[in-house]
């Protein structure tokens, strides 16, 4: 899929380089409007509400043939998808050693000299490679982060030459980690399908089937920031794809999830993944499942690394509410659109809350 242009509108500045230069004040192009800054809470905000955590779900009982043990887990997932759009999973089948190795390897990559990383500089035509901005609008206020973006599925899009050759273990690690993450997403898709009263493979088939799904890895690097109260590592948005599997930094919090008028800072559980519903899943479920706005705050003394695996529909398939979930009382809320068409919005304008998915609603 091609974006609207092949080059960035302004010269790219690496946020990590800014952070390591010793600046004490961030440049104006990273300063968010007052209403968007993380230091401000709504006037009616209850601090106790902000300190709750997203649901934590143990997947261990899903392997059990005893329905009385499986059902509570399925109910917990269903509730989380409807009420939060986010949850954490433990006992998920991905080895702790692989999770640790993934974080360590990418920390090592971002610690390489700038000229080595620059060899993989990306362009907005595909976003693949080493990047520092989302969106191509000139003069946009930017986020305090760098990232690495790559394709894993379908296999035809894998381009190993665009994967880092250093550290030497990186390319093998990408294969191993992405395979495990995609497998877990496939399991979660079946559970989400069952919880909607559908056949277990129906959502997966709506995505194009196991061999045709899209899977992309975005590794986020949030450098320490001298004025974290003025900026964000990633502006508020909902994920445009289907399902996101996030491996968070184990030492530094940063992810915040909107709950009503409040922002909840997610406290990662050891060896857990964070799962969230994307816009395509909201459309397929006819808004029974909700994609939810989230953002990332930054830290004044510590860098932060996270890995987001995006599990998406085949890019040229029309995505629309599943027919079984459309009734007289609940008509189809969204017009059909391919994922290729849909993701042009965020790739052009950058993170913009839930503006895009809301704009698709067809009101009767």
């Amino acid at each position: 899929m091609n974006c609207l242009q092949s080059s960035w509108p302004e010269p790219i500045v690496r946020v990590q380089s800014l952070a390591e230069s010793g600046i004490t004040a961030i440049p104006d192009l990273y300063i968010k409007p007052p209403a968007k800054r993380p230091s401000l809470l709504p006037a009616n905000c209850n601090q106790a509400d902000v300190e709750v955590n997203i649901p934590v779900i143990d997947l261990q009982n899903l392997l059990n043939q005893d329905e009385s043990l499986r059902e509570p887990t399925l109910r917990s997932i269903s509730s989380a998808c409807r009420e939060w759009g986010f949850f954490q999973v433990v006992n998920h089948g991905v080895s702790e050693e692989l999770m640790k190795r993934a974080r360590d390897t990418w920390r090592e990559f971002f610690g390489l000299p700038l000229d080595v990383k620059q060899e993989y500089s990306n362009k907005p035509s595909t976003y693949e490679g080493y990047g520092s901005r989302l969106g191509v609008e000139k003069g946009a206020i930017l986020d305090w982060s760098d990232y690495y973006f790559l394709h894993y599925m379908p296999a035809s899009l894998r381009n190993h030459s665009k994967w880092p050759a250093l550290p030497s273990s990186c390319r093998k690690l990408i294969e191993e980690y992405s395979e495990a993450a995609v497998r877990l997403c496939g399991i979660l898709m079946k559970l989400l399908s069952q919880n909607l009263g559908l056949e277990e493979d129906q959502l997966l088939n709506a995505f194009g089937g196991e061999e045709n799904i899209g899977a992309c890895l975005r590794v986020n690097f949030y450098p320490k920031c001298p004025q974290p109260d003025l900026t964000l590592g990633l502006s508020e948005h909902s994920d445009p794809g289907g399902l996101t599997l996030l491996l968070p930094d184990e030492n530094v919090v940063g992810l915040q999830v909107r709950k009503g008028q409040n922002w909840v800072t997610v406290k990662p559980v050891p060896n857990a993944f964070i799962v969230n519903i994307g816009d395509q899943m909201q459309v397929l479920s006819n808004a029974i499942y909700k994609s939810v706005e989230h953002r990332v705050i930054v830290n004044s003394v510590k860098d932060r690394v996270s890995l987001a695996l995006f599990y998406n529909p085949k890019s040229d398939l029309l995505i629309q509410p599943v027919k079984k979930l459309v009734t007289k009382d609940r008509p189809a809320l969204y017009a059909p659109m391919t994922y290729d068409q849909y993701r042009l919005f965020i790739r052009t304008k950058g993170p913009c809350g839930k503006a895009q998915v809301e704009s698709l609603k067809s009101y009767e």
Side-chain angles (χ1 to χ4, degrees):
M1 190 209 82
N2 289 323
C3 195
L4 297 178
Q5 60 191 76
S6 60
S7 60
W8 300 110
E10 294 135 339
I12 292 294
V13 176
R14 301 305 178 188
V15 178
Q16 185 178 3
S17 296
L18 279 176
E20 292 174 352
S21 71
I23 60 171
T24 56
I26 63 175
D28 289 348
L29 77 162
Y30 297 97
I31 298 176
K32 302 296 180 184
K36 299 291 186 181
R37 295 175 190 172
S39 57
L40 296 182
L41 296 174
N44 62 346
C45 176
N46 180 344
Q47 186 63 38
D49 291 339
V50 183
E51 293 175 357
V52 302
N53 203 4
I54 62 173
V56 179
I57 300 173
D58 190 334
L59 299 185
Q60 189 168 16
N61 284 334
L62 292 175
L63 302 175
N64 202 300
Q65 298 305 310
D66 187 340
E67 284 299 315
S68 66
L69 295 175
R70 286 172 50 86
E71 278 304 315
T73 305
L74 288 169
R75 285 198 302 271
S76 295
I77 293 172
S78 180
S79 175
C81 291
R82 295 163 190 253
E83 297 175 19
W84 279 89
F86 270 82
F87 55 98
Q88 298 189 64
V89 292
V90 296
N91 292 319
H92 41 63
V94 179
S95 80
E96 296 173 14
E97 182 273 336
L98 177 57
M99 296 166 74
K100 180 179 185 303
R101 193 153 38 91
R103 291 191 195 98
D104 291 348
T105 299
W106 281 105
R107 280 198 188 98
E108 192 176 342
F109 169 80
F110 284 104
L112 292 171
L114 180 60
D115 60 336
V116 175
K117 293 178 289 193
Q118 291 284 57
E119 293 178 20
Y120 300 97
S121 295
N122 72 348
K123 295 180 180 180
S125 51
T126 66
Y127 275 83
E128 199 166 8
Y130 177 48
S132 297
R133 69 177 290 166
L134 286 172
V136 292
E137 294 196 330
K138 192 170 184 177
I141 297 175
L142 303 181
D143 291 330
W144 192 262
S145 59
D146 299 323
Y147 63 86
Y148 204 102
F149 180 83
L150 57 87
H151 292 287
Y152 180 70
M153 291 287 287
S156 59
L157 288 184
R158 282 179 216 167
N159 185 346
H160 289 194
S161 69
K162 292 188 177 181
W163 298 6
L166 293 174
S168 59
S169 60
C170 194
R171 288 178 177 172
K172 182 178 179 183
L173 179 280
I174 290 168
E175 289 275 8
E176 190 177 352
Y177 177 82
S178 299
E179 180 183 0
V182 166
R183 187 185 311 119
L184 176 55
C185 286
I187 293 169
L188 292 169
M189 287 285 286
K190 291 181 179 182
L191 302 177
L192 268 55
S193 198
Q194 288 175 304
N195 278 337
L196 289 170
L198 306 174
E199 296 295 323
E200 70 170 20
D201 288 332
Q202 192 159 348
L203 289 179
L204 181 59
N205 289 337
F207 272 33
E210 204 167 49
E211 297 301 316
N212 293 310
I213 59 100
C216 310
L217 182 66
R218 177 182 152 119
V219 185
N220 306 296
F221 185 79
Y222 303 103
K224 60 185 178 182
C225 178
Q227 294 177 297
D229 56 323
L230 297 182
T231 191
L232 289 167
L234 189 56
S235 296
E236 58 193 69
H237 66 289
S238 58
D239 288 348
L243 201 63
T244 303
L245 189 72
L246 180 75
L247 178 61
D249 194 296
E250 73 274 40
N251 297 316
V252 187
V253 299
L255 176 65
Q256 292 188 324
V257 174
R258 186 183 286 282
K259 183 65 170 170
Q261 297 302 308
N262 300 330
W263 287 103
V264 175
T265 300
V266 175
K267 296 173 279 295
V269 172
N271 303 310
F273 282 106
I274 297 170
V275 181
N276 67 278
I277 298 297
D279 294 344
Q280 306 303 301
M281 191 65 73
Q282 177 170 322
V283 170
L284 279 171
S285 71
N286 207 25
I288 295 172
Y289 294 157
K290 306 289 195 302
S291 65
V292 170
E293 284 178 296
H294 50 288
R295 67 184 188 181
V296 177
I297 56 174
V298 289
N299 192 287
S300 62
V301 294
K302 292 182 178 180
D303 301 330
R304 182 171 172 272
V305 173
S306 67
L307 285 72
L309 188 288
F310 302 110
Y311 192 92
N312 300 325
K314 186 173 183 287
S315 63
D316 59 357
L317 282 183
L318 278 178
I319 300 298
Q320 57 190 317
V322 175
K323 288 182 179 179
K324 188 175 179 180
L325 304 178
V326 176
T327 65
K328 182 179 179 181
D329 295 331
R330 193 183 185 92
L333 295 175
Y334 306 98
M337 180 181 283
T338 69
Y339 184 51
D340 255 352
Q341 296 169 311
Y342 190 88
R343 63 181 169 183
L344 269 178
F345 181 91
I346 193 169
R347 291 190 172 190
T348 304
K349 295 185 176 295
C352 295
K354 289 198 68 171
Q356 187 183 11
V357 72
E358 294 301 324
S359 73
L360 291 183
K361 281 190 174 178
S362 50
Y363 297 96
E364 294 298 315

